[in-house]
């Protein structure tokens, strides 16, 4: 269990990168496992991807539970997609601050202090340990820079996180308007 903080910026190219964590090495220089995604565009940065495994696990702005059966269920939203896009600098000059918190079966990504994903992985394939790696994805030439990398171990949680029994945000009924419950 750990918290990883770093800064990044994509200097040139329309690149795809990320940080592998709780990952295992593959032949060559590859890794298989969780990835905090980074890209030049506005879609994937901040999402949780499992390289060499289950693929996209949580898109940016999602609270997700990956069930014991491996199925992904969106249980909430962390903000509007447009507001999350405004938090990420893609000018090639400004540094972005990325924070990954992996504690037990709960995984969280933050960029510039804005929550990007919050995932609970109940699947038996969920990794609890592994290596950390900086990725430069194959494809067109690009330059990405990482800076100020800080790793801090966290105490293990007392118990695994169990998701609340809720329905996805899209199907929830709005809460009633709040009202005072006492007299003047």
């Amino acid at each position: 269990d750990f918290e990883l903080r770093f800064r990044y910026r994509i200097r040139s190219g329309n690149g795809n990168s990320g940080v592998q964590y709780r990952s295992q090495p593959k032949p060559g220089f590859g890794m298989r496992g969780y990835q905090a995604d980074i890209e030049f565009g506005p879609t994937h940065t901040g999402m949780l991807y499992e390289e060499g495994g289950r693929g996209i696990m949580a898109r940016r702005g999602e609270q997700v539970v990956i069930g014991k059966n491996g199925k992904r269920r969106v249980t909430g939203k962390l903000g509007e997609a447009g507001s999350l896009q405004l938090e990420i600098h893609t000018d090639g000059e400004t540094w972005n601050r990325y924070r990954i918190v992996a504690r037990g079966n709960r995984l969280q990504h933050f960029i510039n202090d804005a929550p990007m994903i919050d995932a609970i992985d109940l699947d038996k394939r969920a990794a609890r340990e592994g290596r950390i790696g900086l990725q430069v994805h194959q494809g067109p030439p690009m330059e990405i820079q990482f800076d100020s990398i800080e790793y801090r171990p966290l105490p293990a949680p007392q118990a695994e996180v169990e998701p609340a029994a809720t329905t996805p945000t899209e199907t929830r009924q709005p809460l009633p308007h709040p009202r005072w419950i006492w007299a003047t």
Side-chain angles (χ1 to χ4, degrees):
D1 294 341
F2 66 90
E3 178 177 7
L4 181 69
R5 294 174 182 254
F6 59 93
R7 296 186 328 159
Y8 81 90
R9 64 183 177 186
I10 296 177
R11 297 286 289 170
S12 65
N14 290 326
N16 179 345
S17 183
V19 172
Q20 296 291 137
Y21 62 96
R22 291 186 174 176
S23 294
Q24 302 303 317
K26 292 191 316 190
F29 294 103
M31 295 186 90
R32 170 187 352 264
Y34 295 132
Q35 178 182 305
D37 210 55
I38 299 171
E39 65 152 345
F40 185 76
T43 307
H44 302 297
T45 297
M47 79 173 187
L48 173 61
Y49 185 79
E50 188 178 52
E51 181 73 32
R54 296 171 282 174
I56 295 174
M57 298 180 70
R59 289 181 174 83
R60 189 162 75 197
E62 291 182 338
Q63 282 182 308
V64 172
V65 172
I66 294 93
K68 292 178 182 179
N69 61 1
K71 294 194 188 238
R72 184 180 103 81
R73 179 172 55 99
V74 177
T75 58
K77 294 185 179 182
L78 298 173
E80 296 302 318
S83 66
L84 293 175
Q85 289 175 8
L86 295 175
E87 300 292 332
I88 300 170
H89 306 289
T90 58
D91 60 13
E93 297 299 321
T94 308
W95 290 96
N96 292 286
R97 296 178 318 279
Y98 213 128
R99 181 166 61 107
I100 300 165
V101 179
R103 191 168 202 175
N105 62 347
R106 187 174 186 191
L107 310 167
Q108 297 173 289
H109 298 171
F110 302 85
I111 298 179
N112 299 328
D113 300 320
M116 295 286 124
I117 65 99
D118 190 345
I120 298 172
D121 193 352
L122 301 172
D123 192 333
K124 64 182 176 187
R125 296 172 286 181
R128 296 293 190 271
E129 60 184 33
R131 297 181 181 181
I132 293 174
L134 307 178
Q135 181 202 45
V136 176
H137 199 277
Q138 66 184 7
M142 68 169 287
E143 178 185 351
I144 184 166
Q145 295 176 333
F146 294 94
D147 183 45
S148 304
I149 300 169
E150 298 176 18
Y151 172 88
R152 181 173 64 106
L154 296 174
Q158 297 299 318
E160 295 288 284
V161 176
E162 288 292 330
T166 60
T167 58
T169 304
E170 301 83 60
T171 62
R172 284 188 197 153
Q173 297 297 318
L175 294 174
H177 186 70
R179 56 193 166 110
W180 295 105
I181 58 171
W182 59 82
T184 59

